[in-house]
Amino acid sequence: MEKIIVKDNIEGGKKAFELIKEGMRQETKVLGLATGSTPIALYKEMTESDLDFGHMTAINLDEYFGLSADNDQSYHYFMQEQLFSKKPFKETFIPDGLADEETEPARYDKIIDEHPIDIQILGIGTNGHIGFNEPGTSFDSTTRKVSLTESTIASNKRNFEKAEEVPRYAYSMGIKSILSAKEIILMVFGEEKAEAIKKTLEGPITTDVPGSVLQQHPNVVVIMDEAAAKLI
Ligand code: PGA
């Protein structure tokens, strides 16, 4: 794994953007995208750039179960606001939070199979989750409906007005699909992630820390700010 330490998330966003730009000069056609606070600086770089994404495909990691695309807490809405409305892609895919749990996982896995991901953007949870693949998730997992852990629900609370509005379930791409990306850019910002990234990079490879599986991937770049890297 290549490790890059930056001053803060703004510099981290610029670094990740450079890697994407470099990828686009070559063969990159499909970006795996993430939501949350981590990729916001990257999306700002992308929207303010003169790059054209009109030939590119975007596939997002996850969506809250039960939220419609026009709900302002949904990840559809987030992606539209942060990126897609400003930089149109050829096609974008995000799990449908209102879709039937019997059919949605297979539909989404087919999309991933048909559009192999060139570069996957990832954040990490304070509990080590990647996507919404919480501790205990099999490394062989594919898209499915997941129960969010109490710690994830607690960190997601900051984005909702009332605690009872925070969804307890989500659709998430599985760990197997994340690992199928040719390149992974993991971004980690803030002191609250220090423990999780230490275990991810230096601990044993274990389903207790889903991010630790990235040690097995041949092409991962980790961009951390100084606060997140303080235990490394
Ligand atoms: P965050 O979430 O970017 O909002 O910190 C990351 C994650 O939980 O994967």
Side-chain angles (χ1 to χ4, degrees):
M1 282 196 215
E2 185 186 349
K3 295 171 196 146
I4 300 173
I5 299 181
V6 294
K7 187 162 61 78
D8 54 23
N9 65 322
I10 307 294
E11 212 182 288
K14 288 187 199 296
K15 200 82 218 168
F17 174 67
E18 279 169 28
L19 296 175
I20 289 179
K21 205 157 82 171
E22 178 58 34
M24 284 171 65
R25 272 194 222 110
Q26 295 160 25
E27 304 250 291
T28 295
K29 293 274 173 336
V30 183
L31 292 181
L33 297 178
T35 47
S37 55
T38 302
I40 288 178
L42 164 64
Y43 297 157
K44 186 158 184 288
E45 290 296 322
M46 289 168 75
T47 56
E48 290 176 356
S49 75
D50 54 9
L51 285 191
D52 177 12
F53 297 91
H55 63 293
M56 307 269 297
T57 297
I59 303 188
N60 266 77
L61 285 168
D62 43 21
E63 177 59 286
Y64 286 124
F65 181 78
L67 297 195
S68 63
D70 60 2
N71 183 311
D72 63 7
Q73 299 293 353
S74 73
Y75 287 160
H76 273 83
Y77 195 94
F78 175 97
M79 289 308 301
Q80 205 55 36
E81 288 278 294
Q82 299 292 333
L83 185 60
F84 300 149
S85 63
K86 300 171 193 156
K87 281 287 182 188
F89 279 59
K90 183 174 77 167
E91 48 189 357
T92 61
F93 300 102
I94 305 179
D96 177 354
L98 294 184
D100 188 336
E101 59 194 274
E102 297 298 319
T103 53
E104 183 61 3
R107 182 190 77 88
Y108 209 64
D109 282 338
K110 186 158 179 277
I111 289 170
I112 300 166
D113 285 348
E114 288 171 356
H115 305 83
I117 296 171
D118 294 305
I119 299 181
Q120 176 68 54
I121 301 299
L122 271 190
I124 195 161
T126 51
N127 65 359
H129 73 202
I130 48 175
F132 272 140
N133 295 292
E134 301 283 32
T137 302
S138 157
F139 292 159
D140 260 342
S141 53
T142 52
T143 305
R144 69 222 179 280
K145 181 182 170 190
V146 296
S147 300
L148 303 179
T149 62
E150 289 305 323
S151 79
T152 297
I153 293 167
S155 18
N156 292 349
K157 234 183 248 168
R158 64 200 146 121
N159 302 316
F160 288 81
E161 267 174 34
K162 297 188 200 133
E164 62 268 25
E165 287 175 3
V166 188
R168 307 191 75 82
Y169 300 94
Y171 283 124
S172 182
M173 190 188 282
I175 290 179
K176 189 175 170 196
S177 311
I178 292 174
L179 292 177
S180 72
K182 291 194 197 100
E183 178 178 357
I184 294 175
I185 301 175
L186 172 63
M187 292 193 283
V188 195
F189 306 128
E191 195 176 352
E192 68 280 9
K193 304 279 177 75
E195 194 74 43
I197 193 60
K198 184 178 173 59
K199 289 185 189 156
T200 290
L201 300 183
E202 297 178 356
I205 299 174
T206 164
T207 57
D208 293 344
V209 182
S212 66
V213 75
L214 299 174
Q215 293 177 35
Q216 292 177 344
H217 191 284
N219 193 3
V220 179
V221 181
V222 188
I223 301 173
M224 301 171 266
D225 67 3
E226 287 162 6
K230 71 172 198 177
L231 302 176
I232 305 287

